[in-house]
Amino acid sequence: MLLILVGVLALAARVTPWTPGPVPFLATALITVGIGLGVGAFVSGRSSRGPLIALGVLLSFALLVASATDGDGFRNGRDRGLGDQSYTPQDATAVQPRYESGVGDFELDLTDVDLADLTQPVTTTVNAGVGDVEVVVPRSADVRVEVSNGLGNADVFGRSSDGGTYAGTGDQPWTGDDTAEIVLTIESGIGDVTVSRG
């Protein structure tokens, strides 16, 4: 059943304009294995389910990685990137509104961004598939953070947290004024997320 369904998908991709990535193939295979496990629970003994469970785990991991690297980034023409990435913007205008990372560690260092002349918050989103994410912000910045991660730990300024608003430190006029200088959204599939001050 698995081979037939994957073969039908491959044939459809060959003879039609449809150009799927690996995700539909892996998803179909995983659904088929799931059906096989369901049927096997009523028809046969436990020994036959072991290989299907192992195959299901393998397909699940492959689907997760494929979804991270072949998702909206490629469909929209943006290469999400494979390998470690590091960015150190020198001012607010150099901060991208969105950063994409497929597989690999990601680091964004915002400590060089001058907060003195901001007319609006520095707002950015990090969308990472597989790999650790680390964002470093200036000590004086009030920061609003939102973290959404699948598998992995989130450490926001030394606390296990999925976000909130955090006042900066020091005696700068913007510090602790209840207005965030940096608004940060982090979406991570697999990997640890760390937000700290430089």
Side-chain angles (χ1 to χ4, degrees):
M1 185 176 175
L2 177 93
L3 294 175
I4 290 171
L5 289 175
V6 172
V8 168
L9 284 178
L11 182 63
R14 180 75 176 175
V15 300
T16 68
W18 183 46
T19 54
V23 173
F25 292 95
L26 291 169
T28 300
L30 187 58
I31 290 169
T32 306
V33 169
I35 292 171
L37 282 169
V39 172
F42 297 100
V43 175
S44 60
R46 296 188 177 196
S47 60
S48 63
R49 291 196 305 246
L52 281 179
I53 291 172
L55 181 58
V57 170
L58 184 62
L59 285 170
S60 297
F61 182 75
L63 182 60
L64 208 70
V65 172
S67 296
T69 59
D70 193 38
D72 291 336
F74 285 122
R75 284 197 291 272
N76 294 333
R78 299 189 314 270
D79 184 359
R80 298 188 67 178
L82 301 176
D84 295 345
Q85 299 181 49
S86 180
Y87 297 91
T88 309
Q90 299 301 303
D91 55 54
T93 60
V95 178
Q96 299 176 28
R98 188 173 183 87
Y99 294 89
E100 301 279 354
S101 175
V103 177
D105 293 340
F106 178 90
E107 181 181 0
L108 176 62
D109 187 345
L110 300 174
T111 54
D112 289 338
V113 175
D114 186 3
L115 305 177
D117 297 320
L118 291 181
T119 57
Q120 60 184 5
V122 176
T123 303
T124 189
T125 297
V126 177
N127 186 351
V130 179
D132 295 338
V133 175
E134 182 177 1
V135 180
V136 185
V137 300
R139 291 190 176 277
S140 64
D142 299 336
V143 183
R144 187 163 72 244
V145 182
E146 181 181 344
V147 177
S148 173
N149 64 330
L151 298 176
N153 299 317
D155 182 326
V156 180
F157 302 120
R159 308 174 196 168
S160 179
S161 172
D162 58 1
T165 302
Y166 302 84
T169 59
D171 56 1
Q172 297 295 343
W174 57 82
T175 301
D177 61 359
D178 295 327
T179 300
E181 282 72 48
I182 295 175
V183 177
L184 180 63
T185 303
I186 301 174
E187 303 159 352
S188 173
I190 301 176
D192 294 337
V193 174
T194 303
V195 181
S196 62
R197 297 189 185 275

